[in-house]
Amino acid sequence: MLTALLIVAQQVTFTPYHANGIYELRERVGWNVAVAPGQTAAGRYTYAVKRDGLAVIGSGTLDLSSGHATIVTALDQPGMLLVEVRPPAGTTGFHGASKSEVGRVLLGAAVAPRRIRPSDRRPPDFDAFWAAELRRLDSIPLDTVLTPGESGRPGVEFFTIRMSNVGGAHVYGQLARPSGAAPGTLPALLILQWASPPYPLEREWVTEYAARGWLALDVEPHDVPADMPQAFYDALPQLIKNYRLIGRTSRDESYFLPMYLGDYRAAEYLASRADWNGKTLVVMGTSMGGQQGFAVAGLDTLVTALIAHVPAGCDLLGPLHGRAAPYPNWDVERPEVGRTAAYFDAVNFAPRIRARALVSMGFIWAVFNQLPGPKEAVPMVESPHNHLATPREMLPYEERSTAWLDELARGAHR
């Protein structure tokens, strides 16, 4: 979420009152808007203020003929503020903005974020449902198939992997480890993938971590092999490419059910290996991978750390309570969809997590606040979603996640 951004073409800056984007209840939340000396910004800019990304609670215009203006608002309840600024009609927009914001600038702020709570209650049988699903999974043999391959890195061994999952499905992925590692010596890292129609996994996504001393496993979120040519994935039926909508009216038929169970199986597999050190099992993912990470860390008590970057699937019932919808953008207004969503919502796995957690986010505080164990937030105050962000905007997460992994690999505890 953006709090300050230099618009290159028109030299307009939006500087927040608080650089970290965080404010107290009823405190003035604002931005100083300025035009660089020698530049002009003709016409009136318009802006709208939204609470929790959905309800419009204010609007106005900015006259920059003097070179300066302000945007000021406030909240009397914990929540998020999103301000959308648009240039004068007939102009080409803010050419310095990211791909998602051409023609506008988004400004964000958090008000009393540590007091933001989930939109709705956990289902009373949430724990019982998942306990039954794990028993069902445990009744199915792993049937693990490891196939050696070229790692492309000296001192690193590489494999593709296939394991059995519920309903005749499979867990596919890739595994890498330092060559010749002694039994009981390796910290384990499970990597979970972001949202997209099925795609191949890149070998470097595990070999890079193996070269740093990790036993690294990266798994597909889909029931497809991880190492096929791109043409294979392009030819898959359209149904699987729209997977997020499959089974959203039933918790027993949701596409996310075997996905989460497959992720859990992958974590259990790492913990079963003789080369695991028995102490460090980290789950890491971005976007939908972060969503899966919350599920695995909530289901598997062997997980010792969670690293989630801009996690999806958080507070899925938000639209029923005045909050913007997160991915997978289900139509939770339909009662049967809303009932299903609650069983796959990261916010309902979070209270079960005892592992230490590092979470970077566009202020997804409702989920973060439910984590009961040691935790660190990395607010991405100047960043859109990861696939739209620049390296500079991603830097806070990159620095902290690298530091965490280095410490965890050494056996350090936060």
Side-chain angles (χ1 to χ4, degrees), residues 276-297:
W276 180 48
N277 66 12
K279 298 184 297 183
T280 302
L281 176 53
V282 181
V283 178
M284 181 172 71
T286 293
S287 192
M288 190 181 76
Q291 171 186 342
Q292 296 169 79
F294 269 88
V296 177

Side-chain angles (χ1 to χ4, degrees), residues 134 264 268 276 281 296-305 352-355:
L134 294 184
Y264 174 89
E268 289 287 293
W276 180 48
L281 176 53
V296 177
L299 293 173
D300 197 332
T301 57
L302 294 175
V303 173
T304 59
R352 299 169 53 115
I353 297 174
R354 295 300 181 267

Side-chain angles (χ1 to χ4, degrees), residues 34-222:
V35 180
Q39 303 293 318
T40 60
R44 290 183 177 270
Y45 293 69
T46 61
Y47 67 89
V49 182
K50 297 180 181 180
R51 184 183 64 241
D52 294 324
L54 193 62
V56 177
I57 61 171
S59 61
T61 60
L62 300 173
D63 183 356
L64 295 176
S65 58
S66 67
H68 300 277
T70 57
I71 300 173
V72 180
T73 186
L75 273 184
D76 60 2
Q77 63 189 53
M80 304 305 305
L81 285 167
L82 178 68
V83 180
E84 181 176 329
V85 184
R86 293 190 176 275
T91 64
T92 56
F94 298 106
H95 297 291
S98 64
K99 289 184 289 184
S100 64
E101 285 116 27
V102 171
R104 62 176 181 165
V105 165
L106 299 179
L107 311 170
V111 177
R114 293 281 185 166
R115 296 169 61 180
I116 296 174
R117 313 305 296 170
S119 293
D120 220 312
R121 297 179 179 178
R122 298 170 78 220
D125 63 343
F126 182 88
D127 293 335
F129 170 75
W130 281 106
E133 289 301 320
L134 294 184
R135 288 193 296 270
R136 179 165 72 107
L137 177 66
D138 290 342
S139 71
I140 300 170
L142 283 173
D143 293 331
T144 305
V145 177
L146 274 176
T147 304
E150 292 293 331
S151 72
R153 278 180 178 261
V156 171
E157 299 173 5
F158 174 82
F159 307 84
T160 58
I161 187 171
R162 187 191 72 197
M163 296 179 285
S164 295
N165 199 357
V166 294
H170 293 89
V171 181
Y172 292 95
Q174 53 183 4
L175 181 140
R177 66 189 294 272
S179 301
T185 61
L186 297 180
L189 174 63
L190 175 61
I191 303 168
L192 303 169
Q193 292 301 132
W194 52 81
S196 176
Y199 53 89
L201 304 181
E202 296 184 18
R203 183 178 55 182
E204 293 75 15
W205 294 346
V206 288
T207 58
E208 174 188 350
Y209 292 105
R212 292 160 55 183
W214 290 92
L215 169 65
L217 173 60
D218 184 7
V219 295
E220 279 275 357
H222 311 287

Side-chain angles (χ1 to χ4, degrees), residues 285-412:
T286 293
S287 192
M288 190 181 76
Q291 171 186 342
Q292 296 169 79
F294 269 88
V296 177
L299 293 173
D300 197 332
T301 57
L302 294 175
V303 173
T304 59
L306 166 67
I307 298 178
H309 180 37
V310 290
C314 297
D315 206 24
L316 294 174
L317 298 182
L320 301 180
H321 303 274
R323 295 178 178 172
Y327 181 88
N329 304 104
W330 282 350
D331 46 345
V332 294
E333 296 81 3
R334 296 171 57 187
E336 64 273 25
V337 177
R339 285 192 296 270
T340 300
Y343 291 92
F344 301 96
D345 195 330
V347 80
N348 291 328
F349 288 100
R352 299 169 53 115
I353 297 174
R354 295 300 181 267
R356 60 185 59 88
L358 176 72
V359 184
S360 75
M361 62 240 190
F363 290 135
I364 305 176
W365 289 95
V367 174
F368 181 82
N369 290 340
Q370 295 303 296
L371 291 166
K375 58 190 175 183
E376 177 183 342
V378 183
M380 306 293 283
V381 297
E382 293 190 358
S383 178
H385 201 54
N386 66 289
H387 67 296
L388 298 169
T390 65
R392 182 188 64 81
E393 291 166 344
M394 291 277 284
L395 193 59
Y397 169 73
E398 296 293 345
E399 290 181 339
R400 294 307 299 141
S401 62
T402 298
W404 268 58
L405 286 172
D406 288 346
E407 291 182 23
L408 291 166
R410 295 196 306 268

